[in-house]
Amino acid sequence: MQKIKSLMTRQGLRSPQESVNDLSPIESFRIPTKEELRELHEEPADPQAQQEIINSIEEVYFSNDSFDIVKYELERLPPVLSLQELEEYRDKLKQQQAAVSKKVADLILEKQPAYVEELERVTSLETGLQLAAVICTNGRRHLNVAKEGFTQTSLGLLANQRKRQLLIGLLKSLRTIKTLQRTDVRLSEMLEEEDYPGAIQLCLECQKAASTFKHYSCISELNSKLQDTLEQIEEQLDVALSKICKNFDINHYTKVQQAYRLLGKTQTAMDQLHMHFTQAIHNTVFQVVLGYVELCAGNTDTKFQKLQYKDLCTHITSDSYIPCLADLCKALWEVMLSYYRTMQWHESHDQDEAAVVSSDGNNVIGTEENTFDRNYVKKKLEHGLSRIWQDVQLKVKTYLLGTDLSNFKYDDFIFVLDVISRLMQVGEEFCGSKSEVLQESIRKQSVNYFKTYHRTRLEELRMFLENETWELCPVKSSFSILQLHEFKFLEQSRSPSVSPSKQPASAVSSAGTLFEQFCHGGNPFEIQADSKDDETEDVLASNGYESDEQEKSAYQEYDSDSDVPEELKRDYVDEQTGDAPIKSVSRETLRSRKRSDYNLNKVNAPILTNTTLNVIRLVGKYMQMMNILKPIAFDVIHFMSQLFDYYLYAVYTFFGRNDMFESTGLGLSSSRLRTTLNRIQESLIDLEVSADPSGTLTAAEERKEKVPSPHLSHLVVLTSGSSLYGLAERVVATESLVFLAEQFEFLQPHLDAVMPAAKKPFLQQFYSQTVSTASELRKPVYWIVAAKAIDYEQMLLLMANVKWDVKEIMSQHNVYVDALLKEFEELNRRLNDVSKRVRIPLPVSNILWEHCIRLANRTLVEGYANVKKCSNEGRALMQLDFQQFLMKLEKLTDIRPIPDKEFVETYIKAYYLTENDMECWIKEHREYSTKQLTNLVNICLGTYINKKARQKLLATIDDIDRPKR
């Protein structure tokens, strides 16, 4: 019904029929067709029935004009269509439509008489109004005629003149007021343009002008409006000031400072600026962490936004930890850079103002006030440096300690350390701070991480050592640890005091401080892939040879040597003719003909194993961590020393421990080496493999820091004579240890540079008592080979069969000398065979020959001490045998002097001593055993001295031997 009324009103005062005809197709009701009219007439005229039909229409049809009836009815159709049901439903809709149409028609017909009557009244009113308009027009015309006839007097002229003057003054005031009223538009434009000084200047001028026209009632309202505008400008100015905190713009900041100066609020602006920087730090870190937390959570749950920053940090996953930390530091860098540039602006501005003041010193009061403001701002900014850095430290500390880093990958943890190290460098450049808060937090995480990491690495090292077959790892002769990825940071910065970073060291040094380098763009915390990391390590050689030609020539020489008959080999030994089997092209070219040098021409590369290489890589990783985080340098170096200690102990345990040979008293293991091995065993080796449930908690904690003693792999055979009792493996083991010690020596300056001064004695002791003992391990290791390589017992048996009480001087030496020399020739051949597998360095072959010669000489002395009867001619025969042995031996080896040569010669010469000389000789030569000394007394002097004198000498021997027991 309301729609029909609105349509009638819109169409004007027309008849109902006209109104209906003029309705548009959208706005009108559809005119029923003839068929519908016929059905309408057939419908019962019962109003109550019609009303019920109308009431049965669904409410959705009355909702709005945009309702789509067809779509609604089609969507209501059932999945399975039934023609009968559809026809019944259609008839129902038709009935409803007919009822509505009839109801509308009835309403129109019902209101038609009233409409006609009202229309007639309106027409009559229109006629009356037209008549009134004619009367008014005539009245006005008559009034104008009267005005023109009676107001042309002098008083009218004067009045008009006075009025004119007043209006001119009023016009000026109105124009000024109009300008003032339009000021808000201009102020808005200036604020949009961020012309804050201009806006404030205009607003202050307007306030001054408004005070002149304060007698106008509209001006009081304008004055309050201007005051509100000024406050609004201050608010926008505060917002503009807050934008400085994240992105400093010099022009923007200059306008803001000029605006605050016009307001006379320079100090207030500085207080607000520091508050904004504090707020910016909090908001920045919260938004960065929140973004990663929500990203990892994978939903839009708003519960994270209500968490405190500390709680939010605990929701960071390990995968997103590093990118979040990098973004966090980037954002904080932007804030600190803005503060740095703010300080730069004030320093530059103060210098310019001071120059202006010095040239014009008229306004003394204004100058003093400006100076006071400048001093206040300077002190405030300087004080704010440490305050802002403290806020940054606390935020980053909270983030660092919010996640347990002990299970991070090494490279990931190193990256975290690198980022924090760079951040601490920023802090030092920012305000000279040592970043104690950051250092303590990262120290906690590092110590926690490193203990876990080191424990795992020690277990891995034990596993490597127990599975190590001590085969040579082929590396190039030019191999250097600096070629390994783990030591690339040493190439980037030769000075260990510079923190490693993904940023090129040359760029940082040439650009000065980080703030100077990145002042106008870039970010020191950008994650950049280090191009060097993609390079492959070119350190391995093919099969241990630098080239195939060298390999071929080397083995050809050995193959040809193996075809030489034994007789020719003996001639070569005796006459020193023939070529040396090895021709070195290294530094030892001048010594290439040395018979005890078993270096192959094929390679002069370092001798090391895969395990050695792993230890070196570990050392590099440890140094990276130590270099970045100097507060834990002592812990890291201590753990590095444990790696070396364990390797040293393993080599000794596998190849050098033999109680039988250690008891010979020959000083094979120096007191320093024995002390070092005992210290390692007590501090690092867990001798109790099975856990003791009754042990105390302290003991359990101590055992946690220890590692079980390693066991030699069953694949390594040290009992076979054909391999010289595992000589190749022994060479690889000892020389790899020596090489490892050399690398530690090379790294000593770097370690010393980062070691705290109070802990440097530990480092010095480690190098003097442990690293330097690596080469000393060769003696006990190769003594075992020397003791088994030659059959010394057989020599004693052959010597026992010799008759030493001959009556004439002999010109031919005894058979046992030739047998002993054959043993040495066989040793030389077997050493050559072993050197085909592994290069035997000259110090190793020298020690091996020295041991064998020393043992042979001592065997000779022991054989001479077993003699029951000996004549002067027999003593001469001993000297002949020994000289023959020395002469042939000197052709086999280049070791000079012959070890223990004096030991034998002195013993033989003692046969010629008198009674008095013998007593002094015995007291001076305590290196001989009691048996050997007793034999001298009994055999040598027994026939020349009486029983009492012999008893005296034997008592002297017993006194010497007593302390040894």
Side-chain angles (χ1 to χ4, degrees), residues 66 453 716:
S66 62
Y453 182 80
V716 180

Side-chain angles (χ1 to χ4, degrees), residues 257 425 478 748 860 925:
Q257 281 297 322
Q425 183 183 351
S478 60
Q748 185 177 4
L860 289 174
H925 294 276

Side-chain angles (χ1 to χ4, degrees), residues 94 96 146 199 327 448 463 494 612 701 766 772 780 836 862 865 909 959:
K94 283 185 177 182
Q96 292 176 350
D327 287 348
N448 183 32
M463 181 188 69
R494 289 295 182 183
T612 318
E701 288 296 325
F766 168 66
S772 60
K836 293 178 184 179
E862 187 66 21
K909 291 176 181 178
D959 291 340

Side-chain angles (χ1 to χ4, degrees), residues 3-64:
K3 182 181 285 189
I4 293 173
K5 288 181 181 180
S6 64
L7 289 172
M8 291 173 66
T9 305
R10 212 179 301 163
Q11 296 296 326
L13 300 175
R14 300 185 183 181
S15 63
Q17 188 62 38
E18 291 173 342
S19 299
V20 171
N21 292 337
D22 286 345
L23 290 175
S24 65
I26 299 174
E27 295 175 336
S28 65
F29 289 96
R30 186 171 58 83
I31 306 299
T33 61
K34 291 182 180 180
E35 182 181 355
E36 290 172 344
L37 289 173
R38 181 173 51 77
E39 292 177 357
L40 188 61
H41 288 301
E42 291 175 359
E43 291 292 330
D46 185 5
Q48 184 176 359
Q50 287 185 356
Q51 187 61 39
E52 290 178 356
I53 293 174
I54 291 172
N55 293 338
S56 67
I57 299 174
E58 297 182 20
E59 292 184 3
V60 72
Y61 284 95
F62 301 100
S63 59
N64 50 43

Side-chain angles (χ1 to χ4, degrees), residues 725-739:
Y725 306 97
L727 179 61
E729 289 82 0
R730 293 175 189 272
V731 169
V732 172
T734 56
E735 298 315 297
S736 66
L737 175 64
V738 171
F739 178 77

Side-chain angles (χ1 to χ4, degrees), residues 205-273:
E205 290 176 358
C206 289
Q207 281 187 328
K208 184 177 180 181
S211 63
T212 308
F213 301 101
K214 60 184 177 182
H215 52 280
Y216 292 106
S217 58
C218 62
I219 289 299
S220 60
E221 181 181 347
L222 178 63
N223 212 0
S224 62
K225 184 178 180 182
L226 286 172
Q227 186 62 34
D228 293 340
T229 303
L230 191 61
E231 293 176 359
Q232 182 183 354
I233 292 174
E234 287 190 32
E235 291 177 1
Q236 292 197 22
L237 201 57
D238 191 57
V239 173
L241 188 65
S242 67
K243 293 179 181 178
I244 297 295
C245 301
K246 293 184 180 178
N247 187 15
F248 182 87
D249 181 79
I250 188 168
N251 296 324
H252 180 78
Y253 188 67
T254 303
K255 291 178 182 179
V256 171
Q257 281 297 322
Q258 289 176 354
Y260 273 111
R261 176 165 292 189
L262 287 172
L263 291 173
K265 296 184 176 181
T266 305
Q267 298 182 14
T268 305
M270 195 48 54
D271 295 337
Q272 287 293 107
L273 181 64

